[in-house]
Amino acid sequence: MTRGERRAVIRGTGSALPDRVLTNADLEKMVDTSDDWIATRTGIRERRIAADDEYMSQFATRAAEQALSSAGLPASQVDLIICATVTPDMPIPATACIVQDRLGATGAAAFDLAAGCSGFIYGLAVAERFVASGDYRAILVIGAELLSKFTDWRDRATCVLFGDGAGAVVLTPGEAPYGVLATSMHADGSMADFIYVPAGGTREPASERTVAERRHFIRMRGNETFKMAVRSMEETSRAVLEKAGLTPQDVNLFIPHQANRRIIDAVGSRLGLREDQVYVNIERVGNTSAASIPVALDEAMRKGLVRKGDNLLFAAFGTGLTWGAAVCTWGW
Ligand code: ACO
């Protein structure tokens, strides 16, 4: 296979969600909100929340193990592990290294990738280049987040939105017509304060003051984010489809980042997609950030909604701000 012929094909998928379910009714007892407000404004009915003693690498490892098992690939053959996350186990080292150890993927390079909710798309774009170039033969791309640990459970504007979980895919080389056809990645840091955690980094190291002022939790300008999300997800989806020589009508399944049901519906309708072309699971899992697309993909696979030869479109948007999309022809 020459460099031009070689494509990165998704061979396996996996996902892992916490057992604990937090419903809108539970949230009604915690903050001044209602099931009706949350369901109407976001489409979310419940989400999974990790237990106090659970941490991100546990879910990332479980999702990765499932992806490897569905690909029929031993961990010893993995060349690279990319863990897309903004909620690592700890600031140092990269959680991808912890996952590498847990998997026994001793030959794999490993790094974390921080692009918020767009992290899985960014990870897929990076992995695709390494496989297509022939440098690596098996790459795990994991999207994993425990946003609940950075959620201010007194802030009704954000605490109703997020859920925890992890999803993973395995990419290996294959030939046309299957594989990743096109990807796009974008960022605009002038809107970095739309979704952010002010303290805990080098700018505002953790102190008694930062803890007292609740500056280690997510803050979000939801309304501005919403408008940017719809516009950018539509534009970047159109761009990758065009790069791949496809139109929205050629898409068998669109798996968007699950941030808000209204964002998903608006993007789907602007792209001219029918309801059955769009996969939605936000009502059960909430916004799981970088995990949302691989978790939804794994679910869609298990439900038999993805068949060999199908064209899949992924698009995401998140903190940074970042956004991007990817299109692939399913190969297994
Ligand atoms: N329950 C009841 N009322 C609420 C709640 C709540 N949970 N939250 C906010 N409100 C109130 C507000 O206080 C406001 O009241 P007011 O009119 O009296 O001031 C009113 O509801 C409307 O608030 P908005 O913020 O304008 O509501 P909006 O329709 O924009 O919905 C939402 C808010 C759901 C956050 C929406 O803007 C959204 O989904 N934004 C996008 C979020 C996103 O995509 N984030 C990116 C990914 S996150 C990441 O990268 C980690």
Side-chain angles (χ1 to χ4, degrees):
M1 240 186 306
T2 67
R3 190 185 173 113
E5 290 163 351
R6 193 180 305 109
R7 289 223 185 127
V9 180
I10 296 176
R11 302 277 184 201
T13 64
S15 62
L17 298 175
D19 292 333
R20 189 162 120 208
V21 177
L22 186 74
T23 65
N24 290 352
D26 296 327
L27 281 162
E28 282 176 352
K29 294 179 205 133
M30 296 161 63
V31 287
D32 180 15
T33 191
S34 66
D35 172 48
D36 183 55
W37 192 96
I38 304 170
T40 314
R41 299 284 181 129
T42 71
I44 302 167
R45 296 260 174 211
E46 60 184 44
R47 68 288 289 142
R48 299 299 186 95
I49 301 293
D52 289 348
D53 61 352
E54 288 179 317
Y55 42 95
M56 192 272 275
S57 62
Q58 297 172 318
F59 296 94
T61 304
R62 265 167 50 200
E65 280 168 347
Q66 271 184 26
L68 287 172
S69 138
S70 76
L73 198 80
S76 57
Q77 283 182 26
V78 176
D79 297 313
L80 173 64
I81 299 169
I82 301 174
C83 188
T85 190
V86 286
T87 55
D89 279 7
M90 45 195 145
I92 300 169
T95 308
C97 296
I98 294 163
V99 174
Q100 184 244 34
D101 176 57
R102 297 284 142 79
L103 291 173
T106 43
F111 63 85
D112 287 359
L113 188 159
C117 304
S118 312
F120 179 74
I121 300 278
Y122 268 59
L124 198 62
V126 172
E128 188 271 328
R129 301 306 190 279
F130 275 116
V131 173
S133 69
D135 287 341
Y136 288 140
R137 293 192 55 80
I139 302 184
L140 258 172
V141 181
I142 305 166
E145 305 280 16
L146 296 194
L147 281 169
S148 66
K149 308 275 185 183
F150 293 86
T151 296
D152 185 345
W153 292 101
R154 293 187 204 163
D155 176 16
R156 68 174 184 176
T158 52
C159 76
V160 302
L161 303 174
F162 303 120
D164 297 333
V169 300
V170 178
L171 290 166
T172 65
E175 279 182 69
Y178 307 110
V180 178
L181 307 180
T183 60
S184 70
M185 297 187 286
H186 304 276
D188 186 342
S190 69
M191 289 173 276
D193 63 350
F194 276 27
I195 309 157
Y196 75 123
V197 177
T202 56
R203 191 153 143 185
E204 275 191 57
S207 67
E208 282 179 19
R209 179 190 63 81
T210 60
V211 174
E213 292 177 4
R214 308 182 76 73
R215 295 180 69 75
H216 295 273
F217 296 127
I218 292 175
R219 297 180 178 197
M220 188 171 76
R221 285 158 61 181
N223 213 274
E224 289 102 316
T225 308
F226 187 101
K227 287 173 201 151
M228 270 297 294
V230 173
R231 202 167 46 239
S232 56
M233 276 169 70
E234 181 202 355
E235 279 171 15
T236 195
S237 295
R238 286 194 187 283
V240 285
L241 286 171
E242 197 179 316
K243 213 152 114 185
L246 300 175
T247 70
Q249 284 65 50
D250 299 317
V251 173
N252 298 91
L253 199 61
F254 174 40
I255 303 185
H257 167 50
Q258 314 277 316
N260 184 315
R261 176 82 208 214
R262 290 186 293 139
I263 294 176
I264 296 170
D265 289 347
V267 175
S269 115
R270 284 172 178 226
L271 289 172
L273 298 175
R274 297 182 313 275
E275 221 172 274
D276 64 291
Q277 284 173 286
V278 185
Y279 190 79
V280 184
N281 67 355
I282 190 169
E283 69 280 3
R284 288 178 286 107
V285 296
N287 177 353
T288 60
S289 186
S292 93
I293 292 176
V295 166
L297 172 62
D298 186 51
E299 271 186 26
M301 273 299 295
R302 286 169 201 279
K303 287 182 179 169
L305 297 175
V306 183
R307 285 164 294 267
K308 193 168 181 179
D310 279 358
N311 294 317
L312 266 59
L313 171 67
F314 309 119
F317 176 89
T319 180
L321 296 177
T322 57
W323 62 99
V327 59
C328 70
T329 301
W330 202 249
W332 55 291

